[in-house]
Amino acid sequence: MIAVLDRTASLGIATELGEVFATAFAGEEHSDGVRFATEQLPTHAARDDFRLVAARLPQPGPLDTSGGPVVGFAYGFTGWPGQWWSDRIAAAISPDLAAEWIGGHFEVVELAVVPEAQGRGIGAALMTALVDGLPHRRMLLTTYADDRTAPRLYRRLGWQVLVQDLGWGSALYGLDTGVPGID
Ligand SMILES: CC(C)(COP(=O)(O)OP(=O)(O)OC[C@H]1O[C@@H](n2cnc3c(N)ncnc32)[C@H](O)[C@@H]1OP(=O)(O)O)[C@@H](O)C(=O)NCCC(=O)NCCS
């Protein structure tokens, strides 16, 4: 069960999302779920067109329609020059590529699924739901430069590799939706 949440609803479950974040990224440098819930998410939730999708496993029993705990989520917003990520990426790529892709793009910031729920298509379903119906012509994300589940998932969903290695082990992926909307 995947729900689309606005900023108020997302911040209302920030602690639960932080726990999912910490579990999914366990062992990585940036896996602090409390910092995610109290700093990163509130900052990003204030950005233009913020949208978060959350996956819950259905609970057994006919009376429960709310679903179980959150097992995965993804979110993004409209990115602009002057924001940390946009400026860092723009400085790392060619001016032509930056002019073409950065500014007014939909920026996918996080995708995370708890290990117990991985490998069932939830990550792909979250990414599909996150971008569904958005008016953005261009979408961007950074992911691992090496071969692993996340970059494979993005490529399967039609994202293209814009820069294989930005210089710090991350790759820049883009999706040209063809939608003649913003950007
Ligand atoms: C990346 C991540 C979100 C993917 O979530 P997920 O729910 O496992 O994603 P999916 O189930 O859609 O796909 C994962 C794999 O399961 C496979 N799969 C999906 N449904 C399946 C099914 N029904 N039966 C068998 N395999 C299946 C996919 O083909 C994929 O295989 P691959 O790794 O060999 O390419 C998750 O691994 C994660 O949270 N990782 C840690 C955090 C992270 O890396 N986030 C992304 C940062 S850029």
Side-chain angles (χ1 to χ4, degrees):
M1 181 193 325
I2 293 182
V4 182
L5 277 60
D6 63 12
R7 57 176 57 107
T8 306
S10 302
L11 293 175
I13 59 165
T15 303
E16 192 176 10
L17 296 173
E19 285 161 8
V20 171
F21 180 86
T23 310
F25 286 102
E28 297 205 18
E29 203 180 322
H30 74 296
S31 64
D32 183 342
V34 173
R35 195 200 71 79
F36 173 83
T38 59
E39 296 176 31
Q40 178 179 325
L41 188 65
T43 299
H44 287 168
R47 301 245 168 112
D48 293 349
D49 310 311
F50 173 85
R51 171 192 262 210
L52 185 143
V53 289
R56 297 179 188 274
L57 292 182
Q59 289 285 72
L63 295 178
D64 183 4
T65 54
S66 61
V70 175
V71 294
F73 72 91
Y75 79 83
F77 51 76
T78 301
W80 298 104
Q83 294 169 347
W84 180 84
W85 189 89
S86 286
D87 290 351
R88 186 177 194 218
I89 300 304
I93 65 179
S94 74
D96 285 352
L97 200 58
E100 189 183 345
W101 283 87
I102 294 180
H105 59 281
F106 187 74
E107 194 168 308
V108 177
V109 182
E110 301 289 0
L111 169 67
V113 174
V114 295
E116 313 86 81
Q118 291 177 7
R120 304 186 210 172
I122 295 173
L126 283 167
M127 279 299 289
T128 303
L130 180 64
V131 305
D132 183 46
L134 288 177
H136 302 69
R137 166 96 194 263
R138 305 213 187 270
M139 305 196 177
L140 286 172
L141 61 81
T142 43
T143 186
Y144 304 98
D146 57 1
D147 182 40
R148 58 172 102 179
T149 295
R152 283 197 296 270
L153 186 157
Y154 301 131
R155 290 197 299 272
R156 265 202 312 278
L157 292 177
W159 291 70
Q160 58 175 297
V161 183
L162 297 179
V163 179
Q164 179 52 41
D165 192 341
L166 289 161
W168 57 87
S170 293
L172 180 67
Y173 280 41
L175 184 69
D176 184 341
T177 65
V179 175
I182 57 175
D183 189 31

